[in-house]
Amino acid sequence: MQFTLAQGIVKAAALLGAGLCMGMGALGPGVGEGFVAGKACEGIARSPENASLITRTMLVGQAVSESTGIYSLVIALLLIFSTG
Amino acid sequence: MVFSVEYIQIASYLGAGICVGIGAVTTGIGSGIIAGEGALAIMKQPKANEQIFRTMLIGQAAAQTAGIFALVVSMLLMYGGFDVVEGGWFRAAALLAAGISMGIGSLGPSLGAGYSGGQACKSIARMPKESNAIMGNMLIGQALAQTSAIFALVVSLLLLYSVPNQPAGISIGRIILKSMALLGAGFSIGFGTIGPGAGIGFVAGKANDMMGRFPKEKPKIMRTMFLGAAVSESTAIYSLVVAFLLIFAV
């Protein structure tokens, strides 16, 4: 597969962008989900009888927090496979 | 543009500097957090000073892991003998990306391991009887936080050892494309580990803290810690997948 210089630079920018996108995009969900789970540990220790309720809330909250990570993954895959 | 071996040397020395420079930042902060909490804990509970001191030292050693990974990668970059002119721009980009990957990749995990160790010292001061359980949980939590640093190390080593030399006679467009893809792989896994590393460290820290307050609830606390840490790890795995795609599928 051979490229002209301009095509190569366009695709190169897309690939560098894909790396930066997934990298930075993983920052927020990772910290956020960890914070949720930390607070859930605290909650379950303080009131163990509500463990199942707290676990459910933790998982739902983490799923919402995960969404931006998945957006980044989708954009990174689009940049790798369908641009340039 | 005539390629000479100096371009590869520039990339590898720059990569080595970035790697251990950025990698040392939070390794220092993390160990400092543990020592600070350890000192405070001994002040509150001088009778338990042996357990607290031991936990502090073991926790600091575990928090240094990612910094040691960064040191190893930068030594390899300087003395690994990668600076052969046949490598071309591909090799130059791969060496710089290896440094970026491990350097930025050790930021989150060391911070997380530091928080976890600090909370463990605090917790032992509150409940010295449970010191073994708390220290065990601290080590498990720190190991979970370090997984993402290991992802960064794997990507760095792949960039060092499994990127082929630049084939002769390919177009400049193709050269720029592949070089940027390799740099992108380094950025992806580097930044991608910050969040999961720090997040899992926070989970483990809270679990250690609560184990000292409510020792009877240990199984439930550990279960929640594992579940939450696994979900938090997912974005690091996405970053790893994107980095592999950029290295091998482009």
Side-chain angles (χ1 to χ4, degrees), chain A residues 1-68:
Chain A
M1 185 159 62
Q2 289 294 317
F3 293 90
T4 66
L5 179 58
Q7 283 171 332
I9 292 175
V10 169
K11 186 72 192 171
L15 295 175
L16 189 61
L20 283 172
C21 169
M22 190 61 241
M24 304 254 187
L27 260 175
V31 176
E33 286 165 12
F35 189 82
V36 176
K39 287 287 175 192
C41 279
E42 196 174 336
I44 285 182
R46 284 182 201 275
S47 96
E49 63 275 16
N50 290 327
S52 61
L53 264 178
I54 295 170
T55 308
R56 194 192 66 191
T57 312
M58 178 188 90
L59 286 177
V60 172
Q62 285 181 323
V64 176
S65 178
E66 181 74 28
S67 55
T68 51

Side-chain angles (χ1 to χ4, degrees), chain A residues 1-5 8-9 11-12 15-16 18-20 22-24 26-27 29-31 33-35 37-42 44-46 48-49 51 55 58-59 62 66 69-70 73 76-77 80-81, chain B residues 169-174 176-177 180-181 183-184 187-188 191-192 194-196 198-200 202-203 206-207 210 213-214 217 220-221 223-225 227-229 231-232 234-236 238-239 242 245-246 250:
Chain A
M1 185 159 62
Q2 289 294 317
F3 293 90
T4 66
L5 179 58
I9 292 175
K11 186 72 192 171
L15 295 175
L16 189 61
L20 283 172
M22 190 61 241
M24 304 254 187
L27 260 175
V31 176
E33 286 165 12
F35 189 82
K39 287 287 175 192
C41 279
E42 196 174 336
I44 285 182
R46 284 182 201 275
E49 63 275 16
T55 308
M58 178 188 90
L59 286 177
Q62 285 181 323
E66 181 74 28
I70 295 171
L73 181 66
L77 292 178
I80 294 174
F81 292 113
Chain B
I170 57 170
S171 65
I172 298 178
R174 180 77 200 152
I176 296 177
L177 186 156
M180 288 300 145
L183 274 180
F187 279 120
S188 169
F191 282 114
I194 296 180
I200 294 173
F202 188 81
V203 181
K206 280 286 175 196
M210 287 300 138
R213 285 179 208 250
F214 306 96
E217 304 301 337
K220 274 184 181 166
I221 295 173
R223 195 194 63 195
T224 314
M225 181 183 88
L227 191 60
V231 178
S232 186
S234 57
T235 48
Y238 300 163
S239 302
V242 168
L245 284 175
L246 287 170
V250 170

